[in-house]
Amino acid sequence: GCVLVVSVIEQLAQWHNSTVKAAVERLCNYIPGKYQIIGHMLCCIDREMNADVVCHSLKLCKQDPGQPLCHLYRPPKVSWFSTFLRLQIKIFTGFSSVCAFPLLANLCEKIKYVIRNKLPFEDFDGDKFSTFPTLRGYHWRGRDCDDENITVYPGRRPDNWDVKSDSNCNGIWGVDPKDGIPYEEKFCKGADSQGVVLLGDSAGAHFHIPPEWMTVTQMSAKSFANLPMAFTDELDWPQFSEITGFLNSTIGGWTDSLYLRLRRRNRCNHRDLQNISQNGIRYFPINTAAYLSFSLARNQLLDNPAIVIYATIGNDVCNGNRDTLAHMTTPKEMLSNVVQALRYLDSRLPNGSHVILTGLVDGRFLWDNLHDRYHPLGQLNRDVTYSQLYSFLDCLQVSPCSGWLTPNETLRNLTSERALQLSNVLKEIARSEKFANFDIFYMDFPLRQTAEEWRKMGGEPWQLIEPVDGFHPSQIAAALGTSITWQKALQEWPQVLGKENPFNDQIEAIFKDQGGH
């Protein structure tokens, strides 16, 4: 983090031909609120020193005994030791963690709470739905329409056909004065209403760091306008994601999602979405029941069925360990934990639900298409490639995937081999396991088909990957992946999607006439 921030400051000074002090002031003016952590670095930044030297001198970066010295840039001509001696008197101590900065402490505590519990921070009635967008609010789950009534939330079956109020937050309630029939009964009875739930990892949560945050030629106050929102969403953007996205994208592509398509198919599905994803999660863990009982909002007796997408597409083979193969999930572990998760879902999902298991991605695509391209930090001076970034993160043992983001072709192949083995476990589970309350299906992660479709549209494969982290699927990949998944479901599992609601146009007309209440 320090290296990224200092790199941006130094490049701003270069791009605007200014002093470092002016560059810091410029960046502080760009950033909303009073995120003043950058000012503490000011004393130690010199345009003649690269970001690695500055951050080691601040002791925000360190070299453990017996470990290699990690650096993103080429080492400077002067020795690191003499540089440290020169800077020791300037060291600003006491910042071992970004959460130690006073103005970020409260925010960090809130984020820790949300990450730990996977529940909305602001949820007055405790029904696991919120009227607040971030901190696991309605960016992640359908928006609550009455946060003081625990019996009102998205996804439930209507209470007495919602004659007097909207109990399921789909916007349909009241009685047609022409015939005395409740609108919910008229339009939604027998409509196969169902929600969509994602159990996923950072790809499902749609992890994204805007490239303009570290590309000085594109940087402005507008670039950072969404920074507070992004932090309180854990740098995830589920509102634009492949499964639960519902807003027009502002991050470099268009939004198309399984939820939006289900809603178009049946307007009664409005707001019935849950994105239960976590950055860094593998198969849903050993304490699956505890994890899902905290986070999954579905009542077997009172709620509509759901389509559950189970998609941990990479973290079972991805880790930052140097002996990465030893830390990968084994097929035996995968089988045990996925079956345990499915058994728990069978005890919670309403009858008539569906579960789709998604296979792991073949991550060799990443190195093949990105390693020799310049990262956003390296575009100004053509000095940082993705290969250098991957090596830096691997040295720090924080690589998102040391098995794929490596020049070692043998290791990349072995990682993909394990990913295929785990995908085959999921495929066999879908073939052989039976459950009382849902049927189960398997599909490969559609990266190859997505790349083919994007090439037909005139695109380049590297555009399907997030430019800053060089690892996650981009907004374009998410939208194209939705289309491929939907077509597969239409052709092979039409029962999963439910039938089209013939009253959709009438629902929208009345909704509009009522002023959108």
Side-chain angles (χ1 to χ4, degrees):
C2 176
V3 168
L4 295 180
V5 171
V6 174
S7 296
V8 167
I9 291 171
E10 292 178 337
Q11 290 184 28
L12 274 172
Q14 176 187 346
W15 180 247
H16 293 281
N17 195 24
S18 71
T19 64
V20 168
K21 180 179 179 180
V24 172
E25 292 172 350
R26 184 185 300 273
L27 185 57
C28 285
N29 287 334
Y30 288 161
I31 296 175
K34 295 183 178 180
Y35 293 87
Q36 296 300 326
I37 64 171
I38 301 164
H40 295 300
M41 299 178 180
L42 176 62
C43 67
C44 300
I45 299 178
D46 186 316
R47 282 182 61 172
E48 301 304 316
M49 305 170 195
N50 70 35
D52 295 311
V53 175
V54 171
C55 293
H56 276 271
S57 70
L58 287 168
K59 294 190 175 178
L60 290 172
C61 298
K62 63 179 180 177
Q63 180 184 11
D64 292 331
Q67 299 297 321
L69 182 66
C70 302
H71 56 92
L72 181 61
Y73 297 91
R74 291 175 180 169
K77 294 179 182 178
V78 297
S79 74
W80 285 66
F81 181 72
S82 64
T83 304
F84 286 155
L85 284 179
R86 183 160 57 90
L87 290 175
Q88 282 302 309
I89 59 171
K90 296 182 177 181
I91 290 174
F92 192 96
T93 59
F95 291 94
S96 59
S97 164
V98 70
C99 289
F101 291 98
L103 292 170
L104 291 185
N106 289 339
L107 179 62
C108 285
E109 285 305 310
K110 288 181 179 179
I111 291 176
K112 287 176 184 176
Y113 171 89
V114 166
I115 290 174
R116 184 169 60 250
N117 294 287
K118 316 299 176 299
L119 293 175
F121 182 77
E122 186 177 279
D123 176 18
F124 296 113
D125 57 15
D127 59 10
K128 303 183 182 179
F129 294 91
S130 177
T131 59
F132 191 76
T134 59
L135 290 170
R136 293 279 167 165
Y138 71 76
H139 282 172
W140 299 81
R141 303 167 187 257
R143 186 172 184 169
D144 202 340
C145 52
D146 185 348
D147 206 20
E148 296 180 357
N149 188 339
I150 196 172
T151 67
V152 175
Y153 54 85
R156 68 161 295 170
R157 295 191 182 103
D159 180 20
N160 192 29
W161 294 115
D162 284 357
V163 169
K164 295 183 178 180
S165 62
D166 187 6
S167 67
N168 55 18
C169 300
N170 68 358
I172 304 168
W173 62 280
V175 177
D176 190 338
K178 297 176 183 178
D179 53 24
I181 300 175
Y183 288 120
E184 182 88 43
E185 181 179 7
K186 178 180 288 190
F187 297 143
C188 300
K189 184 178 182 180
D192 287 348
S193 297
Q194 58 186 343
V196 58
V197 179
L198 173 65
L199 308 179
D201 51 21
S202 53
H206 209 46
F207 185 86
H208 166 80
I209 298 175
E212 56 269 24
W213 286 5
M214 54 190 67
T215 308
V216 297
T217 57
Q218 303 173 15
M219 198 173 289
S220 67
K222 185 179 179 181
S223 306
F224 292 94
N226 53 19
L227 183 143
M229 180 191 73
F231 273 143
T232 50
D233 264 336
E234 305 158 47
L235 292 177
D236 296 322
W237 308 72
Q239 67 272 33
F240 306 140
S241 69
E242 179 177 352
I243 304 300
T244 63
F246 62 94
L247 293 178
N248 290 331
S249 174
T250 58
I251 58 173
W254 65 99
T255 300
D256 189 5
S257 69
L258 182 59
Y259 163 73
L260 284 177
R261 290 184 176 231
L262 285 169
R263 185 191 181 282
R264 284 196 294 268
R265 195 170 181 83
N266 179 6
R267 173 61 178 74
C268 302
N269 292 331
H270 182 55
R271 290 188 180 176
D272 194 356
L273 63 100
Q274 297 180 56
N275 190 318
I276 306 173
S277 298
Q278 178 183 341
N279 297 338
I281 201 165
R282 300 162 82 175
Y283 52 74
F284 272 78
I286 292 173
N287 59 341
T288 300
Y291 180 93
L292 289 178
S293 65
F294 257 112
S295 51
L296 179 65
R298 216 65 179 182
N299 186 300
Q300 200 163 44
L301 299 178
L302 298 179
D303 297 349
N304 286 320
I307 301 174
V308 178
I309 312 296
Y310 185 109
T312 55
I313 66 171
N315 288 329
D316 286 288
V317 296
C318 289
N319 53 73
N321 294 285
R322 295 211 167 90
D323 55 342
T324 178
L325 290 171
H327 289 82
M328 293 179 185
T329 300
T330 66
K332 183 178 179 180
E333 290 171 332
M334 192 75 163
L335 175 64
S336 172
N337 284 277
V338 173
V339 169
Q340 181 185 353
L342 293 173
R343 286 173 180 163
Y344 180 77
L345 288 175
D346 200 31
S347 72
R348 290 291 301 276
L349 293 177
N351 189 261
S353 295
H354 312 277
V355 173
I356 299 175
L357 303 178
T358 302
L360 280 70
V361 70
D362 184 348
R364 288 175 292 192
F365 183 93
L366 302 168
W367 180 269
D368 292 346
N369 289 287
L370 286 178
H371 75 278
D372 56 353
R373 296 189 60 81
Y374 288 109
H375 185 268
L377 273 182
Q379 289 175 7
L380 182 63
N381 297 309
R382 303 176 72 82
D383 57 351
V384 178
T385 63
Y386 282 95
S387 177
Q388 288 171 253
L389 175 71
Y390 295 156
S391 295
F392 178 54
L393 297 177
D394 188 53
C395 179
L396 294 172
Q397 297 183 49
V398 295
S399 171
C401 196
S402 53
W404 276 324
L405 309 183
T406 172
N408 185 332
E409 183 179 9
T410 300
L411 183 54
R412 298 199 302 270
N413 290 338
L414 289 172
T415 303
S416 286
E417 183 179 320
R418 175 62 61 85
L420 180 60
Q421 291 171 356
L422 299 182
S423 295
N424 286 336
V425 169
L426 297 174
K427 190 181 297 185
E428 178 59 23
I429 290 172
R431 188 193 67 80
S432 60
E433 296 287 337
K434 303 298 178 185
F435 298 91
N437 290 305
F438 58 82
D439 47 15
I440 186 168
F441 306 89
Y442 170 85
M443 69 171 292
D444 291 316
F445 186 82
L447 181 59
R448 179 180 55 80
Q449 301 98 306
T450 300
E452 290 173 358
E453 287 297 315
W454 185 232
R455 285 192 186 96
K456 292 176 185 176
M457 298 169 68
E460 298 287 340
W462 58 268
Q463 294 168 315
L464 300 176
I465 305 302
E466 277 292 316
V468 172
D469 60 61
F471 179 67
H472 292 93
S474 69
Q475 184 68 32
I476 296 169
L480 290 174
T482 297
S483 176
I484 292 167
T485 300
W486 185 264
Q487 292 304 318
K488 180 179 178 64
L490 279 178
Q491 294 167 11
E492 299 183 22
W493 324 314
Q495 73 274 31
V496 171
L497 305 179
K499 57 193 177 187
E500 291 192 57
N501 190 337
F503 300 109
N504 281 339
D505 291 342
Q506 294 179 57
I507 295 171
E508 293 294 355
I510 292 177
F511 189 72
K512 184 177 180 181
D513 288 343
Q514 293 177 340
H517 292 294

